[in-house]
Amino acid sequence: MSKIGVIGGSGLYDMKGLVLKKRKTVTTPFGKPSDHYLLGEIGNTEIIFLPRHGKRHDIPPHKINYRANIWGFKKLGAERILSISAVGGIKKGLRPGDIVILDQILDLTRNRKSTFYDGEDGVVHIDFTEPYCPELRKILQKAGRNVKVSLKNGGTYAAVEGPRLETASEIKSFSILGADVVGMTGMPEASLARELEICYSGLSVVANYAAGISKRKLTVAEVMEAMKDTTEKLKRLLEETFKLIPDERECPCGEALKEAKI
Ligand code: HPA
């Protein structure tokens, strides 16, 4: 049976419905992951859960050890990762509480260790044309239909360094560049997973209107409130998603390193 990793973001520090088997502390060549991993089952699926900010939410986005987190999933045998995150909504029509299946990324981060291949193991350039696993995206859409959780299919995620929120001009420019949502943690998570040939999908919950879209001041409280409100929907969606994920992968993610090394 394949193992599925879940990364929880702001407001999602454990996995509702998980029949917990073990808590596992993992060591990696890159240091410590954000927390211990929770291993267990939902239905017949083996799940590995990690809260990316730590379970007490004490790790800010720019301090997350992304390499250790993703390496830990690989070490524990996860072939796929579903990544949940809170985002600001940029695209017209997106409202707090909406859930978006991401399909593209604009990487605007500046200061992060973003690769497992620093040259010691050869020079590697993974293909990242489609940053999210196409098979998981389709499964998420189907799961949404099955359990009647409305999902926005497709969205470009602008990944910013943080931890501050954006200026109104920044959001306007991201919008012109094609971004639909903005968040602080989507990169380098996605590319690191690809470098380890793990399927990665991004599910973003719109927690607030991005800066300048609404006239109100942005507050952390509204982000947390929106995430809490969607917990029940997310649980239903994820449980159905796990049921629909086949054992064998049909996407190209598992062969990402083929023809990627010099
Ligand atoms: N900007 C960046 N990251 C975020 C936001 C935002 O407005 N909301 C939740 N995460």
Side-chain angles (χ1 to χ4, degrees):
M1 196 169 40
S2 73
K3 294 180 188 166
I4 300 174
V6 178
I7 304 181
S10 297
L12 199 73
Y13 309 111
D14 59 14
M15 192 74 229
K16 301 268 179 291
L18 183 74
V19 180
L20 186 66
K21 293 259 174 74
K22 262 189 247 168
R23 286 190 172 78
K24 196 122 177 132
T25 302
V26 175
T27 53
T28 84
F30 309 98
K32 278 195 196 153
S34 297
D35 212 315
H36 45 240
Y37 294 77
L38 301 180
L39 277 58
E41 282 176 9
I42 293 184
N44 290 323
T45 311
E46 279 192 62
I47 305 294
I48 305 169
F49 178 82
L50 182 72
R52 75 161 67 74
H53 296 285
K55 65 176 173 297
R56 278 178 286 280
H57 201 139
D58 48 10
I59 311 172
H62 63 295
K63 291 281 190 180
I64 291 171
N65 191 337
Y66 294 96
R67 293 196 300 180
N69 287 354
I70 300 298
W71 188 270
F73 277 109
K74 183 78 178 179
K75 199 167 167 186
L76 294 171
E79 281 196 331
R80 299 173 169 107
I81 293 175
L82 299 173
S83 165
I84 321 285
S85 61
V87 291
I90 298 177
K91 190 184 182 180
K92 213 170 166 187
L94 277 183
R95 294 150 45 113
D98 286 347
I99 305 177
V100 185
I101 303 172
L102 303 170
D103 68 350
Q104 275 298 326
I105 296 176
L106 272 172
D107 186 7
L108 304 167
T109 61
R110 289 186 280 230
N111 222 351
R112 298 180 180 188
K113 296 231 163 61
S114 60
T115 180
F116 290 114
Y117 298 100
D118 270 332
E120 298 87 352
D121 287 330
V123 173
V124 171
H125 301 287
I126 47 150
D127 179 85
F128 207 44
T129 312
E130 292 276 352
Y132 298 102
C133 170
E135 190 179 17
L136 284 179
R137 273 174 34 218
K138 282 210 191 93
I139 293 171
L140 283 165
Q141 287 167 47
K142 186 162 180 205
R145 284 196 300 272
N146 288 1
V147 294
K148 301 196 167 40
V149 170
S150 159
L151 300 170
K152 308 279 178 196
N153 180 26
T156 297
Y157 179 105
V160 294
E161 187 64 29
R164 67 164 175 85
L165 291 158
E166 299 71 41
T167 67
S169 278
E170 283 168 341
I171 293 299
K172 203 196 266 176
S173 68
F174 300 168
S175 171
I176 292 165
L177 290 174
D180 299 313
V181 297
V182 58
M184 300 177 191
T185 57
M187 282 298 285
E189 239 177 51
S191 54
L192 289 170
R194 179 67 53 83
E195 283 190 348
L196 295 185
E197 300 186 325
I198 301 173
C199 297
Y200 181 92
S201 64
L203 211 50
S204 282
V205 179
V206 177
N208 55 277
Y209 292 103
I213 305 270
S214 123
K215 297 286 162 266
R216 285 179 33 215
K217 178 171 178 264
L218 300 180
T219 68
V220 169
E222 78 181 293
V223 174
M224 292 306 178
E225 203 52 40
M227 292 305 285
K228 219 170 78 197
D229 288 348
T230 56
T231 307
E232 189 50 41
K233 270 202 286 187
L234 273 179
K235 176 174 179 268
R236 263 198 294 146
L237 177 69
L238 291 181
E239 284 180 3
E240 180 66 11
T241 303
F242 300 147
K243 281 189 208 154
L244 296 178
I245 292 178
D247 271 352
E248 298 297 325
R249 298 191 277 179
E250 285 186 3
C251 52
C253 311
E255 298 193 334
L257 292 175
K258 252 194 194 163
E259 299 174 349
K261 285 192 186 177
I262 293 196

